[in-house]
Amino acid sequence: MHDIASLDEKYGLAGEIRFAHDASLGTVATIHNTEAAGTIALNGGQVLAWQPVGEAPVLWRSPERRRELFKPERGGIPVCWPWFAQHPSDPTKPFHGFARIRPWRIVSADRVGAATRLTLALVMAEGDRTLWPHPASLTLTVTLGRRLRVELVTHNTGPAAFTITQALHTYFAVGDIGGVRVEGLDGCDYLDKVDGFARKRQQGPIAFAAETDRIYLGHHGTARIVDEVLGRRIDIGKSGSASTVVWNPWVERSAAMGDMGPDGYRAMVCVETANAADDARTLAPGEQHALVAELSLADR
Ligand code: TA6
């Protein structure tokens, strides 16, 4: 467990960031500045909340809290690394990799204008070399203000190239999924995970009326969530990402997951900033790769 007092002293930015220990989440950093409020769990390097001043929360979190440390918290922005979804050759390895179920340590805290910037680094466990036999480091830099910028940097510190898939698996809060459409993916090919990974082409905006689980490939642009109920539009800009994953579990999948809360699926949609499937990234020895998501409320 971290020494909260020393974290506050060393990284608290005179009270802008406050650290606390949560029984199920571990050490949590709470940020309040003039532009927004946010919460980041050090376990998993997981942004849990982002709320610009005067706005409703932008990220969705399940009302069900995880009951054990190092089990992924449902919601916010889980870090999927060094593989997205199932491990390519060993299904017994943790789904979405292990970064989201490991402790992270604080590297630095500072300000960028009125925004608060916190950088964390993954603390690899001894056993991780069996999960991932490649020397690497992983850092997450969160810049939280009117916009939310999340940057995941992979550094190949070993002598050989390695290939990763990855995602910032962002859960967005919406008024009701029936009044939501996602724009910006028109004309993109996608793998439809609810139809045997069939390759299809998106026509027009995405609307939701059933379980939706799609990996859009070769997408480098901005996606936009249009929320008719909350009357807002959320832009998901990015760099270093060629895939966008769009997911809503709908009724049966939600019930099977058991941690979405009653009808939780109606209040969320995932639009994930990723490199998945065909968009896997190979890093040469010494190479660094930055996966960046830039979230903002349009015209707000
Ligand atoms: O990104 C969508 C997805 O791959 C879904 O298929 C579903 O598994 C979701 O991630 C959540 O995965 P988790 O392991 O967090 O329950």
Side-chain angles (χ1 to χ4, degrees):
M1 181 157 47
H2 295 95
D3 176 345
I4 298 301
S6 64
L7 287 175
D8 279 342
E9 188 187 342
K10 195 169 180 187
Y11 301 111
L13 297 180
E16 192 167 307
I17 306 175
R18 290 201 179 282
F19 296 90
H21 183 69
D22 179 285
S24 69
L25 293 171
T27 302
V28 173
T30 304
I31 297 169
H32 283 91
N33 59 43
T34 56
E35 294 187 341
T39 308
I40 302 170
L42 267 60
N43 284 338
Q46 190 167 350
V47 178
L48 295 173
W50 170 50
Q51 183 171 8
V53 170
E55 304 292 348
V58 182
L59 304 183
W60 178 83
R61 267 183 84 189
S62 171
E64 308 271 337
R65 288 293 173 268
R66 75 178 152 197
R67 292 162 189 79
E68 55 193 271
L69 219 46
F70 298 123
K71 182 178 180 307
E73 178 74 359
R74 180 70 62 195
I77 309 178
V79 172
C80 304
W81 186 93
W83 58 85
F84 175 79
Q86 189 169 287
H87 183 274
S89 60
D90 180 349
T92 67
K93 292 187 173 180
F95 198 77
H96 284 328
F98 55 84
R100 65 174 181 166
I101 51 174
R102 288 288 182 276
W104 292 58
R105 63 180 174 80
I106 297 183
V107 172
S108 63
D110 59 1
R111 292 190 184 87
V112 181
T116 309
R117 177 168 61 184
L118 196 59
T119 295
L120 308 176
L122 172 65
V123 177
M124 300 265 197
E126 267 314 298
D128 290 346
R129 293 301 291 265
T130 56
L131 287 175
W132 181 250
H134 309 288
S137 70
L138 187 68
T139 61
L140 184 84
T141 299
V142 180
T143 308
L144 187 138
R146 287 298 302 169
R147 302 166 68 92
L148 177 65
R149 184 179 191 274
V150 182
E151 179 178 49
L152 185 71
V153 177
T154 302
H155 184 189
N156 182 348
T157 55
F162 60 63
T163 299
I164 58 170
T165 53
Q166 57 183 346
L168 295 169
H169 193 296
T170 310
Y171 289 75
F172 292 95
V174 297
D176 182 83
I177 192 65
V180 166
R181 63 181 185 277
V182 175
E183 299 176 342
L185 291 150
D186 185 26
C188 273
D189 284 358
Y190 65 91
L191 302 177
D192 187 346
K193 289 175 68 174
V194 298
D195 186 12
F197 285 82
R199 195 179 187 100
K200 303 176 180 175
R201 177 154 298 176
Q202 182 61 38
Q203 293 183 342
I206 304 162
F208 299 85
E211 182 182 354
T212 305
D213 196 348
R214 303 175 183 178
I215 303 172
Y216 287 85
L217 300 168
H219 176 244
H220 301 269
T222 294
R224 169 171 283 186
I225 298 169
V226 180
D227 183 339
E228 300 294 351
V229 173
L230 289 185
R232 72 179 181 186
R233 295 173 301 169
I234 306 170
D235 284 344
I236 301 100
K238 63 179 189 174
S239 64
S241 160
S243 316
T244 294
V245 180
V246 177
W247 178 56
N248 184 283
W250 215 251
V251 182
E252 287 78 20
R253 185 83 183 274
S254 257
M257 288 158 60
D259 61 359
M260 289 289 291
D263 286 342
Y265 75 94
R266 299 213 62 94
M268 54 71 67
V269 65
C270 280
V271 178
E272 304 160 37
T273 304
N275 288 300
D278 313 11
D279 294 328
R281 290 289 176 116
T282 297
L283 280 76
E287 185 179 357
Q288 297 194 48
H289 172 271
L291 174 68
V292 180
E294 297 251 15
L295 311 181
S296 58
L297 294 175
D299 314 324
R300 304 283 265 256

